[in-house]
Amino acid sequence: GGSGNDVIVNEGAITVEADSLAIAASVAVDIMPGKTKGIGIALANARNEATATATGISGGEGCDLISNSGAVTVDADATAVAASISVVRQGAAGSGTLDPVSFDSGNNAEAVAKGIDGGAGNESICNSGALDVSSTAVAPSVGVAVSSKGVSAAITTASAAASSTGIDTGEGTHWIHNTGAIDADALAVAVGVSVSVAGEGLAAGLDTVWDGGTTATATAAGIRAASGNDVITHEDPYVATARITG
């Protein structure tokens, strides 16, 4: 449903999948002949973002009446891969996966999956169908800086966020009655690898400690209601699992 008041009745099976894959690579090379005088500079920065959002039944804004007796399967997967490589024979080499404005994480993956989303407004939701909701966010980042003589620095970070909810509502007054099985699973994986090599000089491998570093966040809920007056009844056990790796 869109904006306005909606009546939604579903009795059939629903399967919704959203997949997002983003790959970014940045390579900078400055290699001068061995007898050339001077200092070279090689800088590489890879910025990337992947977002996947999937919803089985959406009420949108307004007052909604939603009835579901069918099986709803929702899966959202987001993968963001960023790699930066800088090589300099003599001088300064720098690699990163950063936002060039804030210098915070520049490689982000976000996956959001909802079985039934009432949206903002007053809602009445009755569900007897099985809700199987899963989300996966994966964000690997690699930075490599090499200088045979001079300074090399690699600053690499990643952020992954996954959220899965069986029945979700926005602000307002809600009446939710559920007799169906709910299985909500969220997995977030964030990996940051910094490799810095200097034959002669200074080498440093860093993470964005000013922004909390590499982070993975996973949240899973069977039924979630935002602020407001809510009446929630649930008769069937549900499973909510949130897993993080980073």
Side-chain angles (χ1 to χ4, degrees):
S3 59
N5 303 328
D6 306 303
V7 176
I8 301 174
V9 178
N10 177 67
E11 299 178 351
I14 296 176
T15 300
V16 181
E17 296 182 359
D19 296 300
S20 178
L21 172 62
I23 300 175
S26 179
V27 180
V29 180
D30 188 343
I31 300 178
M32 299 180 297
K35 296 182 180 181
T36 302
K37 296 182 179 180
I39 296 177
I41 298 176
L43 301 175
N45 186 62
R47 185 183 181 187
N48 204 16
E49 183 172 355
T51 302
T53 302
T55 304
I57 299 174
S58 178
E61 298 180 358
C63 299
D64 305 314
L65 172 62
I66 300 174
S67 176
N68 175 65
S69 60
V72 178
T73 303
V74 181
D75 181 66
D77 297 313
T79 302
V81 181
S84 61
I85 301 173
S86 63
V87 180
V88 65
R89 182 183 182 90
Q90 179 176 319
S95 292
T97 55
L98 305 173
D99 185 317
V101 177
S102 64
F103 288 94
D104 294 336
S105 176
N107 187 40
N108 305 304
E110 181 179 11
V112 179
K114 298 179 181 181
I116 299 175
D117 184 10
N122 302 329
E123 287 118 18
S124 177
I125 300 174
C126 182
N127 177 66
S128 60
L131 305 179
D132 187 357
V133 185
S134 62
S135 62
T136 303
V138 181
S141 298
V142 178
V144 179
V146 179
S147 176
S148 61
K149 185 177 181 180
V151 179
S152 64
I155 304 176
T156 307
T157 190
S159 175
S163 175
S164 296
T165 309
I167 300 175
D168 195 9
T169 65
E171 297 183 357
T173 299
H174 313 109
W175 181 82
I176 301 174
H177 179 63
N178 179 68
T179 58
I182 299 176
D183 188 352
D185 181 79
L187 172 62
V189 180
V191 180
V193 178
S194 299
V195 179
S196 182
V197 180
E200 295 182 20
L202 177 65
L206 305 172
D207 200 341
T208 56
V209 293
W210 56 85
D211 187 42
T214 296
T215 59
T217 304
T219 58
I223 300 174
R224 179 188 289 120
S227 60
N229 301 319
D230 306 309
V231 176
I232 301 174
T233 58
H234 180 73
E235 299 180 7
D236 205 303
Y238 61 80
V239 178
T241 305
R243 296 169 290 157
I244 61 172
T245 301

